[in-house]
Amino acid sequence: MRKRFTLLGLLMLVWVSAIQAQQVPTPKSHFGFDIGDPYMLANFTETEAYFKKVAEASDRVQYFSIGKTEFGREQPMLVITSPENQAQLEKYKEISQKLGRAEISKEEAKRLSKEGKPVIWIDGGLHASEVVGAQQLIETLYTLASRNDEETLKILDEVIILLVHVNPDGMEIMSNWYMSNEDVEKRNKNIPVLYQKYVGHDNNRDFYMNNMSEATNISLQQYVEWLPQIIYNHHQSGPSGTVVAGPPYRDPFNHVFDPLIISSLDGVGAAMISRLYEEDKPGYTRLDGSVFSTWWNGGLRTTPYYHNQIGILTEIVGDPSPFSIPLVPDRLIPNNGTPYPVTPGPWPFRRSIDYSVSLNYGILNHAVRHGDELLYNFYLMGRNSIERGQNDTWTKYPKYAQAVQDEFNASRKKRDADDPEMSAFGFRSGLPLQFYDSVYTDQSKKDPYGYILSADQPDFPTAIKFLNALIKSGIRVEKANADFSVNGKSYPAGSYVVKTDQAFRPHVIDMFEPQDHPNDFLYPGGPPIRPYDAAGWTLAFQMGSEIDRIMEDFDGPFDAVPYGEIQTPPAKNLVKGSGFLIDARGNNAFMAVNDLLKAKVKVYRTSTEVNGLPVGSYYVGSTGKKVLEKAAQEYGVYPVAASMPKGAKEIKPARIGLYDYYGGSMPSGWVRWMLEQFHFDYSLVFPQEIDNGDLNDKYDVLLFISSGIPSYGSPGFTRPQPEASEIDEQYRHMLGSFTADKSVPQIEEFINNGGEVITVGSATDLAFYLGVPVSDALVEMGPNGKEVSLSGEKYYIPGSVLEMNVDNSQPINYGMGETSYIMFNRSPVFRLGPDAANKGVKALAWFGEEEPLRSGWAWGQSYLKYGVTAFEAQIGKGKLYAFGPEITFRAQSHGTFKMLFNGLYK
């Protein structure tokens, strides 16, 4: 009888599952085509509707919005798991949080690891031109919602899947553009604008700063809400001659995160590559088969490493238009990087979708087989971090290994003189341990126990913005509820504390401490191996905040800020007075000043220090009280009562033109966002408008940020652009390129007539076109007697944080300190000509005698000695400003924002 009922139950289960599978709409029934069909792409509007339709039809799927995008769309996350698990989502989320924050005992962690379900994040669509990622989400959803095979049902029982669309706006822009041409053979992805409102491809460079809405939405889910153990970020494109690049990745890996991250990457990578090979899917490359490493923080899959999460990136080929795997002879040879090479030739779009689903299943099966291990290791890495933060800990940076060697070498010099045999043979089996101890017990070299950001620093609102970046990343922040002192220094109530005895300690250390990138060359004496993205980025340095490193355990009247709770500057009442001064050192002063100017209130800048406030501070009369009350309540700008300072000069808003071009400039896009945040009005300027002249009629200042001006002396580079007749009229004004023969004369006329031009990064080449008496400092004399750029073997500085001297008496530098950290990314450095001063050129910032590297990697720093990093040049009635470093870098470098903003008034 029991067997009969068991059989009946199984038949009922199969019948119910079959009915459910019939109810889940197929992609073709919704979109009108199969995902992966040639020349076909679904847009986000259609995809969002399908997501909701499947969620309504299937009890395996719940649809959630995790927030709004920059264009105001909902950003969807689908939670996929068995109906039984769906009923207990809050329980499993809480387990994941407890294990991730590691504030429980090992015994409880072991119990929860068996009771919980691993949480796996799978996303797509971040880079909208990489169309496989978003399209595979649709196919993956349908597969998990409809299939009833044993493998899928096991996954649903044992795993909670977060399927997340990470760039809805981009999918809508890209797919609509691609599908707009009725002639399928002419369909293309050459969109006129960035595929994220402000930053395009750089949306994957925002995951420790969290400036963009989408990044914030994602980070809050990953580090505050769900804390998934694996985060899988789909991208394109695979290296030439392969299908897909994935884990494990090449060296270097960052020194601050737990070694379990690396071994876990090996495990997940093995599951992915094995899944493909079991299905006879060749072309996976790993390790040195691709450029990707685990060094950099800031990407959707790399920031998880600093949170004890396994971040997975794959870069796959594929396109709805015809695509082929190219023939690359070196890729035909099986090796450890590419064990199973792919045969070159045509590659259908659908095959890339199939590969993506297989890779997803490879990860999900790994989670099924190793679920309790993933959960417990997540806890264990967090517990390790807490214990490191509670004890004296020395991170094993390359500089410390070198210090050990240097200590030994110094002692050997003396020993060699006394012992000829030692001089000849040295130590055969390593160095004496005393040399290890000389470095790794040095109290000055250990990691801090925590950091204090005092509430009485001049630009506290910017310090709070730094803290909010940490809070969005799940970092535990504490706030003082009373005055306190540490190491003899007093701090007021409202100051913030970040301690390192927390689970996400690697991220804390990485945000506050310098990165120490190893010297990474192809071979000794050979060229450098370019890092994937930046080599150094210490956010605490970029933000320019005042931070005290605390080297011993400490405590005080501290309250923990609830995880994820965004902080604001204290609201204060405006002081009484008939006039007011605003401190130029605070970045938010620009918000207040711009509000005042828009309200037609007169604003003045001081020409000397007044009442303890630096030169360049702002004076406002009593007519500005209403605006200033808002500034004191909302911006953290606290004016002081004062009378009109002698010599103060009135300022007015400049008419700002920000250079852009067809397809969109990411550096310009970041500045668009910055200008809006700080309440500056601006217009975009495209090459055609520049070439048409009469720029002074419309603009007072033009901004050229990094890209768009051809390198001086080169023939220039023209981005692929359509014919005007091929695109809608609303985009035709964006076409064209900045050229030496048409554009430069108009810029020169604009400056001569009193206009100002501010250039940043590579755009400073404009100075050479205009004949400014400056030269490139990073050159040497070649064998033909002509100057050539320094080779990478002699000089190489990828993205890193350096320190420069600043002339803060100059109006463009008002509010700056005497030195400043800067983001330097193979940036220009200048020498002023012998007649520069006589021609109205003066240095604004420069390197000194000491090596300027503060975080990252710099080879050949001696070439920077006394090099000029910024200058101004008087040209006719106007001025050119040139800033070699990235003073607006990804809207992260708040410490140098003033150098741009000061130039936006007249």
Side-chain angles (χ1 to χ4, degrees):
M1 182 68 71
R2 178 179 290 178
K3 290 183 178 178
R4 180 180 174 186
F5 280 113
T6 301
L7 179 61
L8 181 61
L10 288 172
L11 290 172
M12 287 291 292
L13 177 63
V14 171
W15 178 76
V16 169
S17 297
I19 291 297
Q20 185 190 55
Q22 292 172 7
Q23 292 173 338
V24 175
T26 66
K28 188 167 186 176
S29 71
H30 178 80
F31 297 100
F33 57 88
D34 286 318
I35 300 302
D37 277 357
Y39 297 111
M40 302 301 292
L41 289 177
N43 68 14
F44 178 72
T45 298
E46 299 163 338
T47 300
E48 182 183 38
Y50 183 70
F51 284 175
K52 292 179 178 179
K53 188 182 290 187
V54 171
E56 185 176 345
S58 173
D59 58 4
R60 302 174 182 179
V61 181
Q62 284 198 65
Y63 178 100
F64 296 91
S65 171
I66 61 173
K68 297 280 191 180
T69 68
E70 288 291 348
F71 276 122
R73 293 183 175 86
E74 299 292 342
Q75 188 163 4
M77 178 175 75
L78 300 163
V79 180
I80 307 171
T81 190
S82 70
E84 294 76 16
N85 293 341
Q86 290 284 3
Q88 302 183 81
L89 284 185
E90 287 304 314
K91 168 189 170 181
Y92 293 123
K93 180 193 286 188
E94 185 179 357
I95 289 174
S96 191
Q97 290 175 354
K98 285 185 174 180
L99 293 170
R101 290 173 185 151
E103 295 166 346
I104 56 178
S105 68
K106 287 190 176 182
E107 291 71 27
E108 185 178 0
K110 288 179 180 177
R111 177 178 63 80
L112 291 178
S113 298
K114 295 186 182 300
E115 184 181 335
K117 306 288 184 183
V119 181
I120 309 301
W121 171 291
I122 298 173
D123 67 47
L126 188 64
H127 290 159
S129 58
E130 303 166 10
V131 294
V132 174
Q135 304 295 309
Q136 64 84 27
L137 285 178
I138 301 167
E139 192 69 20
T140 298
L141 171 62
Y142 175 69
T143 302
L144 290 168
S146 66
R147 274 174 48 172
N148 293 294
D149 56 277
E150 182 180 356
E151 178 186 37
T152 299
L153 294 177
K154 185 71 170 174
I155 288 170
L156 294 168
D157 283 342
E158 299 298 332
V159 180
I160 294 174
I161 304 153
L162 308 180
L163 201 69
V164 188
H165 199 304
V166 286
N167 185 7
D169 296 341
M171 185 184 191
E172 189 78 359
I173 293 167
M174 185 60 67
S175 295
N176 286 349
W177 182 269
Y178 181 84
M179 296 294 292
S180 64
N181 200 318
E182 293 184 4
D183 184 346
V184 296
E185 293 186 356
K186 291 184 179 179
R187 288 180 176 172
N188 65 81
K189 294 181 287 185
N190 192 13
I191 56 175
V193 295
L194 295 168
Y195 52 65
Q196 193 275 352
K197 183 176 180 180
Y198 295 103
V199 302
H201 193 87
D202 266 2
N203 63 356
N204 198 26
R205 305 295 185 269
D206 192 35
F207 286 100
Y208 61 69
M209 190 69 206
N210 295 302
N211 278 320
M212 296 295 109
S213 297
E214 297 89 344
T216 295
N217 298 339
I218 291 165
S219 290
L220 289 174
Q221 293 302 314
Q222 291 181 342
Y223 309 127
V224 177
E225 293 292 330
W226 272 103
L227 282 69
Q229 287 75 57
I230 298 177
I231 293 173
Y232 182 12
N233 182 216
H234 282 263
H235 278 270
Q236 285 181 258
S237 182
S240 186
T242 72
V243 175
V244 59
Y249 308 104
R250 71 172 179 87
D251 278 338
F253 69 84
N254 202 290
H255 312 105
V256 301
F257 52 68
D258 197 284
L260 269 171
I261 288 294
I262 298 303
S263 57
S264 299
L265 280 169
D266 290 342
V268 177
M272 297 169 71
I273 194 170
S274 295
R275 178 74 181 213
L276 291 185
Y277 293 171
E278 288 163 10
E279 298 176 356
D280 195 29
K281 291 175 176 171
Y284 187 107
T285 191
R286 57 187 186 167
L287 300 169
D288 59 358
S290 74
V291 300
F292 305 105
S293 72
T294 53
W295 172 259
W296 170 67
N297 193 344
L300 201 160
R301 68 95 188 178
T302 60
T303 301
Y305 302 144
Y306 302 82
H307 295 76
N308 307 317
Q309 296 160 310
I310 306 166
I312 301 296
L313 164 78
T314 55
E315 298 265 351
I316 197 167
V317 301
D319 198 88
S321 296
F323 177 84
S324 289
I325 303 289
L327 173 59
V328 180
D330 286 348
R331 292 286 188 180
L332 300 176
I333 306 166
N335 56 33
N336 195 35
T338 313
Y340 185 13
V342 66
T343 300
W347 189 264
F349 188 38
R350 175 66 199 191
R351 200 165 187 206
S352 294
I353 302 297
D354 291 340
Y355 264 63
S356 298
V357 174
S358 294
L359 291 164
N360 291 338
Y361 263 69
I363 287 178
L364 295 173
N365 267 306
H366 179 82
V368 168
R369 295 188 178 98
H370 302 278
D372 59 341
E373 179 183 315
L374 286 169
L375 289 166
Y376 186 72
N377 282 352
F378 189 32
Y379 163 81
L380 187 59
M381 287 186 276
R383 192 67 236 167
N384 290 342
S385 289
I386 291 172
E387 291 175 359
R388 291 181 186 117
Q390 292 172 338
N391 296 280
D392 286 356
T393 302
W394 285 261
T395 297
K396 291 182 170 59
Y397 296 116
K399 61 186 177 184
Y400 292 166
Q402 185 61 51
V404 170
Q405 186 67 54
D406 291 344
E407 289 272 355
F408 170 71
N409 291 344
S411 71
R412 190 173 62 175
K413 287 180 180 179
K414 181 178 185 304
R415 188 181 297 253
D416 289 350
D418 300 333
D419 188 344
E421 184 175 342
M422 180 61 69
S423 177
F425 298 104
F427 287 96
R428 296 185 177 91
S429 56
L431 311 187
L433 289 179
Q434 69 191 66
F435 295 103
Y436 178 90
D437 293 340
S438 69
V439 172
Y440 289 97
T441 59
D442 183 341
Q443 293 293 298
S444 69
K445 291 182 169 62
K446 70 181 181 183
D447 298 337
Y449 278 73
Y451 308 88
I452 300 176
L453 292 83
S454 181
D456 60 4
Q457 59 185 284
D459 192 6
F460 192 45
T462 293
I464 290 177
K465 291 174 186 178
F466 170 56
L467 289 164
N468 282 335
L470 301 178
I471 288 168
K472 291 175 185 179
S473 293
I475 298 305
R476 188 187 77 238
V477 172
E478 298 172 63
K479 186 176 182 180
N481 58 40
D483 295 350
F484 67 100
S485 62
V486 173
N487 296 335
K489 181 175 179 177
S490 297
Y491 299 92
S495 298
Y496 287 90
V497 170
V498 182
K499 292 187 176 181
T500 60
D501 62 342
Q502 56 181 296
F504 299 159
R505 178 182 186 272
H507 193 70
V508 174
I509 295 293
D510 198 63
M511 292 294 96
F512 283 93
E513 297 294 310
Q515 286 75 49
D516 183 21
H517 193 285
N519 290 323
D520 192 14
F521 293 93
L522 192 61
Y523 52 85
I529 299 174
R530 181 178 179 179
Y532 180 71
D533 206 82
W537 51 84
T538 307
L539 187 57
F541 294 174
Q542 290 194 65
M543 297 288 284
S545 298
E546 295 180 6
I547 299 169
D548 291 332
R549 301 167 76 242
I550 309 302
M551 304 305 292
E552 303 294 339
D553 194 15
F554 66 105
D555 209 346
F558 308 143
D559 296 325
V561 173
Y563 284 107
E565 184 178 281
I566 300 304
Q567 301 297 288
T568 57
K572 295 185 179 181
N573 294 322
L574 181 65
V575 297
K576 294 181 179 180
S578 58
F580 306 91
L581 279 174
I582 301 173
D583 193 337
R585 292 172 293 181
N587 280 354
N588 280 8
F590 292 105
M591 298 166 63
V593 167
N594 288 332
D595 289 355
L596 288 161
L597 293 172
K598 290 175 184 179
K600 308 301 182 184
V601 176
K602 289 187 176 183
V603 180
Y604 302 82
R605 296 202 83 164
T606 63
S607 57
T608 59
E609 181 181 323
V610 179
N611 297 347
L613 298 186
V615 59
S617 293
Y618 306 90
Y619 174 79
V620 182
S622 59
T623 55
K625 279 187 177 181
K626 185 175 180 180
V627 174
L628 293 179
E629 285 171 355
K630 180 180 179 181
Q633 286 286 315
E634 299 180 16
Y635 303 161
V637 174
Y638 312 125
V640 297
S643 56
M644 169 70 85
K646 187 177 181 180
K649 297 179 180 178
E650 185 179 358
I651 60 171
K652 295 182 179 180
R655 297 170 299 167
I656 302 167
L658 175 61
Y659 179 69
D660 208 341
Y661 45 75
Y662 186 91
S665 160
M666 289 182 288
S668 178
W670 283 114
V671 171
R672 271 195 289 131
W673 183 82
M674 287 168 49
L675 294 175
E676 291 173 18
Q677 296 302 302
F678 287 90
H679 305 181
F680 287 98
D681 293 330
Y682 67 93
S683 299
L684 293 180
V685 182
F686 292 89
Q688 290 181 47
E689 185 177 0
I690 291 174
D691 292 351
N692 289 337
D694 296 326
L695 295 170
N696 300 89
D697 294 344
K698 294 170 282 187
Y699 305 106
D700 300 306
V701 58
L702 294 175
L703 311 181
F704 293 86
I705 312 297
S706 294
S707 58
I709 292 181
S711 297
Y712 184 71
S714 73
F717 172 73
T718 302
R719 292 168 178 79
Q721 296 185 5
E723 295 295 327
S725 60
E726 298 174 344
I727 61 174
D728 192 275
E729 186 174 358
Q730 65 177 315
Y731 302 120
R732 292 176 187 172
H733 72 284
M734 301 177 177
L735 296 171
S737 299
F738 189 101
T739 61
D741 57 338
K742 290 185 178 180
S743 309
V744 171
Q746 298 300 339
I747 296 298
E748 187 169 19
E749 180 181 354
F750 171 75
I751 301 175
N752 273 313
N753 290 338
E756 293 189 352
V757 171
I758 300 176
T759 60
V760 176
S762 62
T764 57
D765 267 25
L766 185 60
F768 301 135
Y769 285 108
L770 295 174
V772 177
V774 297
S775 61
D776 184 352
L778 303 176
V779 296
E780 63 181 353
M781 199 63 68
N784 60 358
K786 294 184 178 180
E787 288 185 341
V788 296
S789 297
L790 293 167
S791 67
E793 290 87 345
K794 294 182 177 181
Y795 170 84
Y796 184 68
I797 306 181
S800 296
V801 181
L802 277 59
E803 188 172 17
M804 65 181 183
N805 299 307
V806 176
D807 182 354
N808 58 10
S809 69
Q810 298 300 319
I812 198 76
N813 290 336
Y814 279 167
M816 297 288 292
E818 293 182 351
T819 64
S820 177
Y821 294 115
I822 50 167
M823 196 67 195
F824 191 94
N825 185 17
R826 292 174 290 170
S827 302
V829 180
F830 306 94
R831 304 284 182 205
L832 303 190
D835 57 344
N838 293 333
K839 294 186 175 180
V841 180
K842 56 185 172 185
L844 299 170
W846 59 91
F847 293 122
E849 186 173 358
E850 295 183 357
E851 293 186 340
L853 178 67
R854 298 296 176 263
S855 179
W857 181 22
W859 185 256
Q861 294 185 69
S862 61
Y863 290 102
L864 298 177
K865 189 174 180 179
Y866 303 128
V868 172
T869 53
F871 64 86
E872 71 172 51
Q874 185 76 41
I875 300 174
K877 298 178 182 178
K879 286 183 178 179
L880 170 73
Y881 294 98
F883 294 94
E886 302 291 336
I887 62 171
T888 60
F889 182 73
R890 295 173 182 166
Q892 297 172 12
S893 52
H894 287 244
T896 49
F897 283 4
K898 297 181 189 73
M899 291 177 147
L900 175 70
F901 292 164
N902 281 327
L904 304 184
Y905 302 105
K906 61 179 183 178

